[in-house]
Amino acid sequence: MIRFEYVSPSSVKQALGLLSANWGEAEILAGGTDLLALMKDYIVTPKRVVNIKQLPGMHAISTEDDGLLIGALVTLDRIADAAQIRRDYPALAQCVGDAASPQIRNMATIGGNVCQRPRCWYFRNGMGLLPKNPDGKSMVIEGDNRYHAILGNEGPAHFVSPSTIAPMLIAYGARVRIAGPDGERELALEKFFRIPASDTEREHNLKSNELVTEVVLPSAENVRAANYEVRQKASFDWPLATAAAVLQMNGSTVQRARIVMGAVAPVPWVSEEAAQAIAGKTIDERTATAAGEAAVSKARPLSLNKYKVKLAAVAVKRALLVAVGQPVPDLHARQRGGAA
Ligand SMILES: Cc1cc2nc3c(=O)[nH]c(=O)nc-3n(C[C@H](O)[C@H](O)[C@H](O)COP(=O)(O)OP(=O)(O)OC[C@H]3O[C@@H](n4cnc5c(N)ncnc54)[C@H](O)[C@@H]3O)c2cc1C
């Protein structure tokens, strides 16, 4: 074991003072379901672990004028069970309740969920976030890329963003509140994620001396929403493709849509193409299929993951159908979501 310092600050200010100006020197510990695995495998080797579990003001689900506030330390289990979330954001409650396993949801926090590191097997085996062969070529492009990205593949990053919850939060228009040495800032969750250009960068726009304190959800009155995940098996594993849809309706036609795909790109992938395909239309088999096709129209699959293009299109189509209360086939994929 590599020695590290373990600290448990009792205020956000104290916690910020213990973080480092450089990534890798200090790591934040929330539920630990991802960080501890990364440390046991020596993928991250911090000199200091900052346990934030006791920080005040980050454990509550509450309301304010802006909408619903979920403290970064609220566990997935509590989110899935919260009466207010089940009533006002039912597709989110279902999506969170479908993530991981009961034991993990009991420990995992929403702040940790949006900051969890990619599951890319090159990264998890210590070859880096943007792994390269000795000749400088991408190991992912040349190697086994069956679970990698089909969108956002233009740069050196080919892993997929691991959170199944972030796409649903983004579809609902979530923002994150961030505390740092210069005070607080707020960011649309969509803008929180980024595609790193080098191995030393992270997959989000957090600085190494900042922490996420809250997730803010705007009111979701009069929307219909659903999340649909295609998984290899009905078990606690990351899905192969997901789609979250939030629709503002005018009668039976779509006024505005937010469609966000997961497990297809290095960031949660907001599909303007799919949203445009259904704007002003009624959702039925035909329009939902067209939206799915539009969502993957710019896909650039790698050598072994062309199958994901079809799965992603189907995920979008089925999320839309579930959102408007239409039945979808539930073959090997599990049906998720629900109309709000
Ligand atoms: C078997 C298995 C199946 C899983 N399936 C799914 C799934 O289907 N869908 C899904 O979305 N996830 C899944 N997960 C991932 C799981 O949801 C995450 O590990 C968990 O949400 C991370 O939360 P945590 O509180 O344990 O974070 P930690 O492990 O404590 O931290 C994770 C990362 O976030 C950073 N961090 C934590 N909190 C903050 C904060 N407030 N501000 C800034 N940085 C922070 C840490 O430094 C670390 O880098 C699965 C995990 C396992 C082990």
Side-chain angles (χ1 to χ4, degrees):
M1 189 175 126
I2 300 175
R3 293 173 73 86
F4 59 86
E5 183 189 1
Y6 180 80
V7 282
S8 287
S10 52
S11 70
V12 170
K13 190 168 174 222
Q14 216 176 43
L16 294 174
L18 290 161
L19 295 176
S20 164
N22 303 307
W23 282 118
E25 288 174 2
E27 293 284 350
I28 293 170
L29 172 70
T33 61
D34 190 27
L35 182 72
L36 297 185
L38 289 164
M39 288 177 67
K40 284 179 191 166
D41 288 341
Y42 305 106
I43 307 303
V44 295
T45 51
K47 295 192 186 87
R48 178 184 290 157
V49 171
V50 182
N51 167 29
I52 61 168
K53 282 195 274 293
Q54 278 131 39
L55 295 188
M58 287 166 56
H59 293 84
I61 299 175
S62 57
T63 37
E64 64 167 33
D65 292 346
D66 282 355
L68 187 80
L69 303 186
I70 308 176
L73 290 168
V74 177
T75 60
L76 303 189
D77 191 44
R78 279 183 59 208
I79 295 173
D81 280 352
Q84 193 179 2
I85 296 182
R86 291 168 79 95
R87 186 190 64 219
D88 298 340
Y89 306 89
L92 175 65
Q94 178 143 14
C95 168
V96 174
D98 281 341
S101 66
Q103 292 87 346
I104 291 164
R105 291 195 297 276
N106 189 42
M107 290 302 294
T109 64
I110 192 67
N113 185 274
V114 296
C115 296
Q116 65 175 294
R117 308 299 309 276
R119 306 305 303 182
C120 166
W121 46 33
Y122 295 99
F123 173 65
R124 295 273 163 174
N125 279 291
M127 293 162 199
L129 202 52
L130 314 175
K132 288 199 173 65
N133 286 321
D135 60 6
K137 291 196 177 135
S138 165
M139 283 185 174
V140 180
I141 299 276
E142 306 256 302
D144 192 335
N145 48 42
R146 74 184 90 161
Y147 299 127
H148 287 79
I150 55 167
L151 284 156
N153 258 335
E154 294 75 20
H158 306 290
F159 60 83
V160 295
S161 182
S163 171
T164 54
I165 300 167
M168 192 72 250
L169 288 170
I170 292 172
Y172 271 121
R175 304 177 68 76
V176 276
R177 289 200 176 140
I178 294 168
D182 303 325
E184 275 207 355
R185 64 187 178 111
E186 207 174 284
L187 210 56
L189 186 56
E190 177 185 343
K191 300 243 157 43
F192 176 76
F193 293 100
R194 67 192 294 274
I195 302 183
S198 82
D199 254 327
T200 52
E201 295 177 18
R202 294 257 163 142
E203 314 80 61
H204 49 61
N205 278 310
L206 210 59
K207 297 187 188 119
S208 58
N209 54 5
E210 291 182 319
L211 60 88
V212 175
T213 56
E214 272 170 332
V215 174
V216 187
L217 278 169
S219 155
E221 266 178 56
N222 302 322
V223 305
R224 296 177 76 84
N227 185 57
Y228 193 95
E229 300 181 357
V230 183
R231 295 184 180 237
Q232 212 153 24
K233 53 188 184 296
S235 162
F236 55 90
D237 200 357
W238 281 263
L240 298 167
T242 79
V246 173
L247 310 176
Q248 263 156 8
M249 306 295 287
N250 185 1
S252 64
T253 57
V254 176
Q255 201 170 26
R256 188 167 170 268
R258 295 267 297 166
I259 297 168
V260 189
M261 292 187 283
V264 295
V267 290
W269 195 261
V270 179
S271 178
E272 298 297 347
E273 294 86 358
Q276 275 168 22
I278 50 167
K281 298 195 176 139
T282 304
I283 301 292
D284 55 24
E285 181 79 16
R286 191 180 56 80
T287 52
T289 302
E293 283 165 5
V296 295
S297 56
K298 296 194 177 139
R300 284 177 50 176
L302 306 172
S303 56
L304 296 174
N305 68 4
K306 290 188 183 64
Y307 73 98
K308 285 185 71 170
V309 176
K310 179 77 178 164
L311 298 189
V314 167
V316 169
K317 171 187 166 181
R318 292 189 183 169
L320 290 170
L321 290 172
V322 175
V324 297
Q326 293 194 23
V328 296
D330 191 13
L331 303 173
H332 299 294
R334 286 198 288 166
Q335 177 188 324
R336 286 135 208 285

